[in-house]
């Protein structure tokens, strides 16, 4: 809607609307009903007083988002980015779509990403979101601009702050706090390591070795090689990628052994209750840090303790179905087994689990 279109609807001049946008004046209170009607929002929302409505709308955004294909994700994220310019988690999601799905390779979308990243750096205080903006621009910008963004990394990368804080607590003799900070730092570094991606479609042999090692690493966190509940979802996804790599190199039977192990881990994870602390195991390395599962959106990231530079993604049943049927990072690897009865049965199971998950939430 142009300034002139809005002005015509509420019976004022376009110059007045321009003044509001430039913050050199505000609408007369008697105009608020007409403005809210023209824009399709309540007066409370227009005045920024509808925080509950905004939270519900953003929750609805994420519940829709993870069930869409990449083009639809971009459309929805762009719409909500412009709708909520000060909600930086939305801007962060838009940047992820633009960067990870390659849309930033076109001038139009690169400009949009630059705008969102710049807004984050200028206004957002969340270090994780700031780092993601730096990483995206460093990945896609031309050399000179990329260098400028890369130079922001040292002061934005959160776990470095944690390392400094650990040393500070040691110097002050706060040994218990130092120990807790060390556990947080260990988990941050471990999450960074196990979240590194090698796509089976691109480098299948490397994917087999990469994800095979990560599976063994996570198994060491349990007392007898079992996977602690707090790692089940991450382990399931890593095992799925390991299986996809095996499928890509023609090791079908080995792949199905891991594929079925992944499905079992997912189903065990889905049965765990929400909002109950889940152990990460390895108490000498992670202390008593635990994660909580919750189901606000397709990805979850809740900790019983809050610290920077940590992302723990817990996928729900619709996300598993998406992975098997639409995920661009794995779908090509599944083409070799798409007609195998075992794979078809797994897709049917995932669809049933996803439908049950949505039904419980009235969707």
């Amino acid at each position: 809607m142009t300034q002139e279109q809005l002005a015509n609807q509420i019976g004022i001049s376009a110059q007045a609307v321009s003044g509001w946008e430039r913050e050199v004046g505000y609408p007369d209170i008697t105009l608020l009903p007409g403005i809210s009607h023209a824009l399709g929002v309540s007066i409370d929302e227009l005045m920024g007083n509808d925080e509950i409505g905004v939270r519900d709308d953003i929750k609805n955004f994420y519940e829709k988002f993870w069930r869409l294909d990449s083009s639809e994700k971009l459309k929805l994220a762009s719409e909500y980015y412009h709708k909520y310019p000060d909600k930086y988690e939305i801007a962060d999601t838009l940047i992820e779509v633009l960067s990870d799905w390659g849309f930033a390779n076109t001038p139009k979308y690169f400009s949009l990403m630059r705008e969102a990243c710049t807004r984050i750096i200028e206004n957002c205080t969340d270090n994780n979101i700031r780092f993601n903006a730096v990483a995206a621009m460093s990945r896609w910008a031309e050399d000179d601009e990329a260098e400028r963004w890369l130079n922001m990394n040292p002061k934005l990368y959160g776990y470095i702050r944690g390392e400094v804080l650990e040393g500070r607590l040691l110097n002050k003799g706060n040994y218990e706090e130092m120990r807790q900070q060390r556990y947080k730092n260990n988990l941050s570094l471990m999450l960074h390591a196990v979240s590194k991606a090698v796509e089976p479609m691109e480098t299948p042999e490397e994917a087999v070795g990469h994800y095979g090692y990560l599976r063994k690493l996570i198994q060491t966190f349990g007392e007898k090689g079992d996977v602690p509940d707090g790692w089940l979802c991450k382990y399931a996804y890593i095992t799925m990628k390991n299986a996809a790599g095996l499928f890509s190199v023609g090791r079908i039977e080995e792949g199905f052994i891991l594929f079925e192990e992944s499905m079992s881990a997912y189903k065990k994870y889905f049965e765990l209750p929400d909002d109950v602390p889940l152990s990460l195991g390895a108490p000498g390395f992670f202390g008593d840090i635990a994660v909580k599962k919750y189901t606000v959106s397709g990805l979850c990231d809740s900790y019983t303790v809050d610290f920077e530079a940590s992302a723990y993604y817990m996928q729900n049943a619709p996300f598993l179905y998406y992975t098997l049927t639409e995920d661009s990072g794995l779908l090509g690897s599944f083409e070799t087994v798409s007609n195998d009865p075992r794979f078809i049965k797994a897709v049917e199971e995932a669809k049933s689990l996803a439908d049950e998950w949505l039904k419980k939430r009235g969707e």
Side-chain angles (χ1 to χ4, degrees):
M1 183 183 292
T2 66
Q3 293 175 354
E4 186 173 0
Q5 287 171 330
L6 177 58
N8 288 338
Q9 284 200 40
I10 59 179
I12 61 169
S13 68
Q15 288 80 3
V17 178
S18 175
W20 303 341
E21 292 189 353
R22 290 182 289 112
E23 297 186 1
V24 296
Y26 297 94
D28 185 279
I29 192 170
T30 60
L31 295 175
L32 295 184
I35 296 171
S36 65
H37 177 74
L39 299 179
V41 298
S42 68
I43 292 178
D44 268 346
E45 189 174 353
L46 188 67
M47 299 294 290
N49 296 329
D50 190 21
E51 281 302 317
I52 294 176
V54 170
R55 286 198 299 271
D56 287 345
D57 192 27
I58 291 176
K59 174 184 175 182
N60 184 54
F61 161 77
Y62 280 109
E63 289 177 345
K64 288 181 180 177
F65 180 82
W66 296 110
R67 299 197 293 273
L68 301 175
D69 64 28
S70 58
S71 295
E72 291 172 324
K73 278 183 168 71
L74 175 58
K75 182 179 179 181
L76 187 65
S78 180
E79 174 190 334
Y80 271 73
Y81 167 71
H82 290 100
K83 186 176 183 179
Y84 300 115
D86 61 341
K87 299 298 183 183
Y88 299 110
E89 67 271 28
I90 300 291
D92 184 47
T93 301
L94 173 63
I95 290 165
E96 178 185 351
V97 175
L98 290 168
S99 180
D100 290 359
W101 271 272
F103 292 108
N105 199 34
T106 63
K108 171 186 174 182
Y109 290 125
F110 178 76
S111 295
L112 177 61
M113 188 173 76
R114 180 195 281 126
E115 175 197 318
C117 290
T118 301
R119 178 177 289 176
I120 284 171
I121 293 301
E122 290 178 350
N123 301 294
C124 180
T125 58
D126 186 307
N127 272 352
N128 287 327
I129 294 177
R130 289 168 64 88
F131 173 73
N132 290 340
V134 169
M137 286 301 297
S138 301
R139 178 179 178 183
W140 289 101
E142 295 295 335
D143 289 347
D144 290 346
E145 184 177 7
E147 186 69 21
R148 178 171 66 83
W149 286 88
L150 280 168
N151 287 337
M152 299 181 191
N153 275 333
K155 56 188 176 186
L156 295 179
Y157 202 20
Y159 81 76
I160 294 176
R161 179 183 182 277
E163 298 288 328
V164 173
L165 181 56
E166 182 181 338
R168 175 180 173 80
L169 292 169
L170 173 63
N171 292 343
K172 294 176 69 175
N174 296 341
Y175 300 119
E176 183 54 37
E177 290 182 60
M178 179 205 70
R179 190 174 296 108
Q180 293 303 317
Q181 186 61 46
R182 178 181 297 158
Y183 294 146
K184 296 175 186 179
N185 293 341
N186 290 345
L187 181 56
S188 290
L189 291 166
M190 188 59 65
L191 286 170
H192 180 69
V194 300
S195 298
K196 296 286 285 184
V198 175
E199 296 303 340
M201 287 175 62
E202 299 172 6
T203 54
E205 290 287 0
E206 185 178 352
V208 170
H210 178 84
Y211 292 113
Y213 175 76
L214 292 182
R215 287 181 60 255
K216 293 176 183 177
L217 178 63
I218 292 176
Q219 289 170 359
T220 67
F221 301 155
E223 291 185 4
K224 299 179 180 179
D226 55 321
V227 178
D229 287 346
W231 289 103
L232 263 177
C233 191
K234 179 70 74 175
Y235 181 80
Y237 189 60
I238 287 171
T239 302
M240 184 70 74
K241 286 208 167 189
N242 199 173
L246 289 167
F247 291 149
S248 295
V249 297
R251 295 159 62 180
I252 305 300
E253 294 308 312
E254 291 179 72
F256 267 114
I257 291 173
L258 295 190
F259 182 80
E260 290 167 4
E261 181 182 351
S262 171
M263 291 295 295
S264 296
Y266 268 123
K267 285 185 279 189
K268 182 179 178 181
Y269 163 72
F270 294 152
E271 292 172 358
L272 296 173
D274 292 356
D275 294 317
V276 173
L278 305 177
S279 172
L280 293 169
F285 198 66
F286 302 129
D288 59 359
I289 296 176
V291 296
K292 283 185 180 180
K293 169 188 172 188
Y294 69 97
T295 51
V296 173
S297 65
L299 296 180
C300 306
D301 56 348
S302 177
Y303 278 96
T304 53
V305 293
D306 183 28
F307 58 97
E308 297 177 358
S310 297
Y312 187 88
Y313 298 122
M314 294 186 177
Q315 300 140 4
N316 59 26
F319 190 90
L320 171 60
Y321 180 65
Y322 167 83
T323 298
L324 296 180
T325 58
E326 299 180 51
D327 184 86
S328 59
L330 293 180
L331 194 56
S333 303
F334 293 147
E335 287 179 357
T336 57
V337 296
S338 59
N339 294 321
D340 191 294
R342 292 169 290 185
F343 185 78
I344 294 172
K345 180 182 177 182
V347 172
E348 291 172 350
E349 275 189 297
K351 178 67 165 59
S352 177
L353 290 166
D355 289 344
E356 182 181 349
W357 187 92
L358 294 170
K359 184 178 179 181
K360 284 181 180 178
R361 287 152 184 80
E363 300 179 34

